[in-house]
Amino acid sequence: MRKCLICVLMTTLLLAGCGPAGVSEAEELALTIRGEYLAMESCAARAAVTADYGQRVYQYEMAVSVNGPETVLALSAPETVAGLTARLSGTESQLEFDGLSVETGPLDGDGLTPVSAVPALLEAARSGYITACALEEEGAVVRVDCGDPSGTPGAGTETVLWFDTATHALTRGEISVDGFRVILCEFSDFMAG
């Protein structure tokens, strides 16, 4: 009987913490933003992407346009690839221009590349399992950490997203593989459509 009473009391306490009073401002904002990104059909932004392969680091700048399942990336830097455009849909993530193909190789076992990083970050914003969230920079941004719900922190693929608390624009995203940051993406001029 005593064990049953303790169980009932603990369940009541847990349920009381799960209601509106138990949700932090950062969690509530993260869930609101998730709903907006799930409903979003298109967006556009400028992105500065750093891909770190450990012994090689690549930096790209690009215009990003997302319309439904299609993502278009127009590279503007570095100069050697400026003008290249990639159209991504589904699993395709290779840049092509007049038969020239640019491939830097995957950053993880799932085929993550600098080209597929922006769609991966947007997918994490829409459906990634939220492991933590917090307000940062004196409440100007909300940080949302996403990862495997049954995984160990620092193992596997983890994503961190930062959103402007006023506009809900994605301002920054990082993808880490086994605790090592492989992608850093900083967004500007983000507009949802």
Side-chain angles (χ1 to χ4, degrees), residues 46-50 121 170-173 184-188:
R46 303 251 349 121
V49 178
T50 302
L121 291 170
L170 181 60
T171 60
R172 181 177 171 189
L184 166 62
C185 189
E186 295 174 300
F187 295 95
S188 59

Side-chain angles (χ1 to χ4, degrees), residues 56-81:
R56 303 175 289 152
V57 176
Y58 296 97
Q59 294 182 321
Y60 303 94
E61 291 180 16
M62 61 188 76
V64 177
S65 176
V66 177
N67 191 4
E70 183 180 65
T71 301
V72 177
L73 307 171
L75 275 76
S76 57
E79 192 175 307
T80 55
V81 295

Side-chain angles (χ1 to χ4, degrees), residues 8-20:
V8 169
L9 287 174
M10 289 192 69
T11 303
T12 303
L13 288 173
L14 285 173
L15 289 175
C18 293

Side-chain angles (χ1 to χ4, degrees), residues 72-188:
V72 177
L73 307 171
L75 275 76
S76 57
E79 192 175 307
T80 55
V81 295
L84 292 177
T85 300
R87 292 189 189 284
L88 309 173
S89 187
T91 59
E92 294 296 315
S93 63
Q94 195 172 38
L95 292 173
E96 291 188 7
F97 179 76
D98 276 349
L100 171 68
S101 176
V102 177
E103 181 61 45
T104 55
L107 289 153
D108 69 358
D110 294 327
L112 176 67
T113 67
V115 174
S116 66
V118 172
L121 291 170
L122 289 172
E123 185 58 32
R126 291 180 186 118
S127 63
Y129 182 83
I130 298 175
T131 58
C133 45
L135 293 173
E136 293 184 349
E137 298 177 25
E138 298 181 12
V141 297
V142 62
R143 173 186 167 143
V144 179
D145 296 14
C146 299
D148 183 349
S150 62
T152 304
T157 301
E158 299 172 305
T159 304
V160 182
L161 306 165
W162 286 265
F163 300 92
D164 183 286
T165 55
T167 65
H168 300 176
L170 181 60
T171 60
R172 181 177 171 189
E174 294 181 356
I175 301 174
S176 297
V177 176
D178 295 329
F180 180 75
R181 184 180 75 192
V182 295
I183 290 289
L184 166 62
C185 189
E186 295 174 300
F187 295 95
S188 59

Side-chain angles (χ1 to χ4, degrees), residues 17-33:
C18 293
V23 176
S24 74
E25 182 182 350
E27 292 168 329
E28 189 175 312
L29 184 56
L31 292 174
T32 298
I33 291 170

